[in-house]
């Protein structure tokens, strides 16, 4: 089965639409959503409704920290991010807020684990930014492949049976086989707010039979997404950063 995996959509309708179109045109058979559907962007209602519809049709979805913040004011965020969460809370319907609140932190499917942040303590929202971070996550699960997001930058880590770690930044469009002799942590880039210097939306496709993953970049209408942020009176820098991927 060919999976399309999306993380950190952040209410960016233009980016998510472009990624969904790309994935479907390239044969995606199942959608996996790894959290942070809201926050930063200006179309939370459409985004959450789209994810709800995808789940109803068989997609899997887990909760991210921005999603959790909609129903829990205890989530710690900077002032601008918190302002967007409060604005978003007022835009979402009760069923949409309930959908986000009831999403699981992790999901296991065959030998794959799906989580927004990392596997050792999903509710603490730790960032995987080093081999030490990745190792902690990998040691917390027996899954052959763990898929996560949260840092908005693509990365691939693996661990051998002897505990030897490897890590590298995958090249977009280049297929990587996740060999059975190692266990893998695949960190997705962000659909709606990339932070690796490339403004194109980022997601990945994984073939469960060949065990091949391909990181994808999809250009989208950045100007339209930025304009939506400005029109709704959200912090201007959230619009400006889209064009530089930071």
């Amino acid at each position: 089965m060919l999976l399309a995996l999306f993380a950190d959509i952040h209410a960016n309708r233009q980016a998510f639409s472009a990624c969904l179109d790309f994935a479907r045109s390239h044969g995606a058979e199942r959608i996996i959503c790894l959290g942070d559907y809201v926050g930063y962007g200006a179309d939370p209602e459409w985004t959450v409704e789209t994810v709800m519809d995808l789940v109803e049709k068989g997609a899997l979805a887990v909760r991210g920290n921005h999603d959790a913040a909609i129903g829990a004011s205890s989530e710690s965020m900077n002032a601008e991010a918190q302002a967007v969460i409060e604005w978003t809370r007022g835009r979402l319907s009760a069923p949409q807020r309930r959908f986000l609140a009831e999403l699981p932190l992790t999901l296991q499917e065959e030998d794959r684990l799906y989580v927004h942040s990392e596997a050792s303590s999903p509710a603490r929202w730790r960032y995987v930014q080093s081999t030490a971070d990745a190792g902690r996550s990998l040691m917390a699960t027996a899954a052959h492949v763990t898929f996560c997001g949260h840092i908005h930058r693509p990365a691939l880590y693996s661990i051998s049976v002897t505990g030897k770690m490897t890590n590298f930044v995958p090249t977009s469009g280049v297929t990587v086989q996740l060999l059975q002799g190692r266990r893998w942590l695949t960190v997705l880039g962000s659909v709606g707010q990339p932070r690796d210097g490339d403004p194109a939306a980022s997601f990945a496709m994984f073939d469960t039979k060949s065990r091949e993953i391909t990181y994808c970049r999809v250009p989208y209408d950045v100007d339209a997404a930025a304009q939506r942020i400005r029109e709704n009176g959200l912090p201007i820098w959230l619009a400006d950063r889209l064009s530089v991927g930071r």
Side-chain angles (χ1 to χ4, degrees):
M1 182 177 287
L2 188 60
L3 308 178
L5 300 113
F6 306 99
D8 299 284
I9 298 163
H10 285 300
N12 188 329
R13 178 174 184 166
Q14 290 74 20
F16 193 28
S17 294
C19 288
L20 285 170
D21 289 346
F22 183 98
R24 287 164 174 157
S25 69
H26 285 74
E29 299 169 273
R30 192 173 199 188
I31 303 296
I32 310 294
C33 297
L34 298 183
D36 274 8
Y37 312 110
V38 299
Y40 301 133
D43 285 292
E45 310 100 307
W46 178 89
T47 303
V48 175
E49 196 64 33
T50 298
V51 174
M52 291 172 69
D53 183 61
L54 289 169
V55 169
E56 188 174 336
K57 294 175 180 176
L60 297 180
V62 298
R63 188 183 350 144
N65 55 305
H66 285 253
D67 312 317
I70 294 297
S73 57
S74 60
E75 294 293 340
S76 178
M77 295 183 172
N78 63 48
E80 290 86 356
Q82 187 59 47
V84 179
I85 287 297
E86 292 171 4
W87 174 84
T88 299
R89 195 178 288 134
R91 299 290 294 262
L92 298 179
S93 67
Q96 290 172 333
R97 295 194 301 273
R98 183 167 58 251
F99 171 78
L100 295 179
E102 292 177 353
L103 286 172
L105 290 174
T106 65
L107 282 171
Q108 182 94 28
E109 184 179 40
E110 298 177 349
D111 61 352
R112 302 181 298 277
L113 178 71
Y114 307 123
V115 61
H116 178 67
S117 56
E118 54 85 48
S120 72
S121 186
R124 292 182 66 180
W125 312 117
R126 290 167 162 166
Y127 292 94
V128 176
Q129 301 183 92
S130 67
T131 53
D133 297 336
R136 180 182 60 221
S137 181
L138 284 164
M139 294 302 292
T141 174
H144 178 241
V145 188
T146 299
F147 296 92
C148 70
H150 196 41
I151 71 167
H152 296 219
R153 298 189 304 273
L156 263 174
Y157 299 88
S158 73
I159 189 170
S160 71
V161 292
T162 61
K164 183 178 180 180
M165 295 286 300
T166 67
N167 70 288
F168 63 96
V169 177
T171 300
S172 299
V174 176
T175 296
V176 178
Q177 188 169 37
L178 305 187
L179 300 173
Q180 289 282 11
R182 308 184 71 86
R183 292 192 300 111
W184 297 82
L185 177 62
T186 72
V187 185
L188 302 186
S190 171
V191 171
Q193 195 186 90
R195 293 179 186 166
D196 60 349
D198 183 346
S202 179
F203 77 103
M205 299 185 75
F206 179 70
D207 188 319
T208 62
K209 184 177 181 180
S210 67
R211 316 200 71 76
E212 293 177 333
I213 189 167
T214 306
Y215 283 73
C216 308
R217 299 308 283 251
V218 183
Y220 72 96
D221 193 341
V222 173
D223 290 341
Q227 184 59 29
R228 288 283 297 148
I229 291 171
R230 296 186 185 101
E231 289 172 351
N232 282 278
L234 300 176
I236 296 298
W237 70 275
L238 294 175
D240 294 342
R241 73 189 305 177
L242 293 179
S243 64
V244 294
R246 290 294 181 191

